[in-house]
Amino acid sequence: MNNVKSEKTNINPNLHIPTALIKNYRLSDLALLVYGELNGLYSKHKQCFITDKALSERLNRSVASIQKAIRDLKNLGLITSKQKPNFKGRNITVPPLNAKKFLLIPVVVVRNHDLNIGAKLLYGSLYSRQKKKEKENTDKHQEDAPLIICVTKSELADELQKSPRTIRYQLKELEKNKYINLISNEGINVEITLVPLKMTSILSGSDKKSKNDIHTAIKFWQKVRSSTGTTDDCSPDNLCKKRVSTYAKN
């Protein structure tokens, strides 16, 4: 369960955050997500060289906040880091943690900037419950049974070490941003279904750049066409053909 699949090969990878970290350590919500990022990278590659800047971009937090979270993890012995020669980065190690239960948070949720971190952790709790229910339905040969999560706010609050009032606000935030449907929210019990996530792969920096370049070229060509009155097709394929022919002439 510790092995987090590559973002390039898996449409919907998950961060794995041991619930023992929440129960046994006084860590901020950001530190928990930073641990999930580092643990995922280290579990896959047996080494981790990610920079503070890269983490800040992934989690939409300042570099100073990321650095504080890393210091907290180091002070508790949850990670270690060793400076590489000539100050060219550091090697982060994540020692094995004896944990059997995890919060699974889809990376597509972690990367989105429309939720605060506490709501992302709550989503991870609900998502993990849904996965457990899916397995139970499969074992009972009831794959078509509705995936309704029945839980109390007190259970969620205890698992995430939050107040029931905070859980109530975060449930409303998840509902407002269309991550969940609240079937019932009366009293201490809640009934929830998760809205299916858009299973879109997460582009790497180079992929984003090349895609943006194409769209920029299209907009430029459309502008030229409108100013000159030409009717050439400015699809990506034709633009690429025009570029190839130009290189050939040169």
Side-chain angles (χ1 to χ4, degrees):
M1 227 175 152
N2 285 335
N3 293 328
V4 179
K5 293 182 180 180
S6 169
E7 294 177 3
K8 292 183 179 180
T9 58
N10 189 0
I11 292 177
N12 190 32
N14 302 312
L15 290 193
H16 291 55
I17 301 176
T19 55
L21 291 185
I22 304 172
K23 293 279 187 180
N24 303 329
Y25 298 90
R26 286 191 169 185
L27 287 170
S28 66
D29 292 343
L30 177 58
L32 292 172
L33 285 186
V34 169
Y35 179 90
E37 293 278 4
L38 299 178
N39 185 47
L41 291 170
Y42 186 79
S43 297
K44 178 174 178 58
H45 304 289
K46 300 306 176 186
Q47 59 182 6
C48 177
F49 300 105
I50 192 168
T51 64
D52 296 339
K53 183 179 179 182
L55 282 171
S56 72
E57 292 172 351
R58 288 188 178 200
L59 300 176
N60 193 35
R61 288 296 182 271
S62 67
V63 171
S65 298
I66 295 295
Q67 291 172 341
K68 183 181 183 305
I70 288 179
R71 283 197 303 271
D72 293 342
L73 293 172
K74 288 175 64 176
N75 291 338
L76 292 170
L78 295 170
I79 64 171
T80 61
S81 64
K82 184 178 180 181
Q83 192 71 34
K84 293 176 66 178
N86 302 323
F87 302 99
K88 293 182 179 179
R90 69 194 167 188
N91 184 13
I92 296 176
T93 302
V94 183
L97 192 66
N98 186 17
K100 296 181 180 180
K101 188 177 179 181
F102 298 83
L103 288 187
L104 304 179
I105 310 179
V107 171
V108 291
V109 174
V110 175
R111 298 289 182 269
N112 285 346
H113 299 161
D114 54 359
L115 292 176
N116 68 50
I117 290 180
K120 292 176 182 180
L121 291 173
L122 176 57
Y123 183 91
S125 176
L126 298 174
Y127 183 78
S128 302
R129 282 176 163 79
Q130 178 180 270
K131 287 297 180 184
K132 182 179 179 181
K133 194 168 186 62
E134 285 177 356
K135 186 177 185 305
E136 291 173 353
N137 289 348
T138 301
D139 293 341
K140 296 176 182 178
H141 304 288
Q142 298 176 351
E143 289 84 354
D144 296 331
L147 295 172
I148 300 176
I149 302 166
C150 300
V151 65
T152 68
K153 298 185 187 76
S154 299
E155 287 179 82
L156 294 171
D158 181 63
E159 182 178 50
L160 299 173
Q161 298 294 291
K162 305 291 183 183
S163 69
R165 184 178 182 183
T166 299
I167 296 298
R168 185 167 64 251
Y169 286 142
Q170 290 174 348
L171 285 172
K172 289 181 179 178
E173 182 181 354
L174 290 171
E175 183 183 34
K176 179 182 177 182
N177 288 283
K178 299 180 180 179
Y179 284 91
I180 65 172
N181 290 319
L182 277 172
I183 301 173
S184 173
N185 191 23
E186 301 297 330
I188 62 173
N189 293 306
V190 291
E191 291 184 354
I192 300 167
T193 58
L194 300 189
V195 176
L197 294 170
K198 293 181 179 179
M199 299 302 186
T200 54
S201 60
I202 301 168
L203 294 172
S204 65
S206 58
D207 292 334
K208 286 182 179 178
K209 183 177 179 181
S210 60
K211 189 173 183 180
N212 288 337
D213 285 346
I214 292 175
H215 288 301
T216 301
I218 291 174
K219 289 181 180 178
F220 175 76
W221 192 260
Q222 288 173 337
K223 184 177 180 181
V224 172
R225 185 181 61 172
S226 62
S227 63
T228 58
T230 58
T231 58
D232 292 344
D233 180 13
C234 56
S235 64
D237 291 339
N238 281 349
L239 286 175
C240 291
K241 289 177 182 177
K242 291 176 185 298
R243 174 177 288 184
V244 170
S245 61
T246 301
Y247 286 144
K249 288 179 181 179
N250 291 337

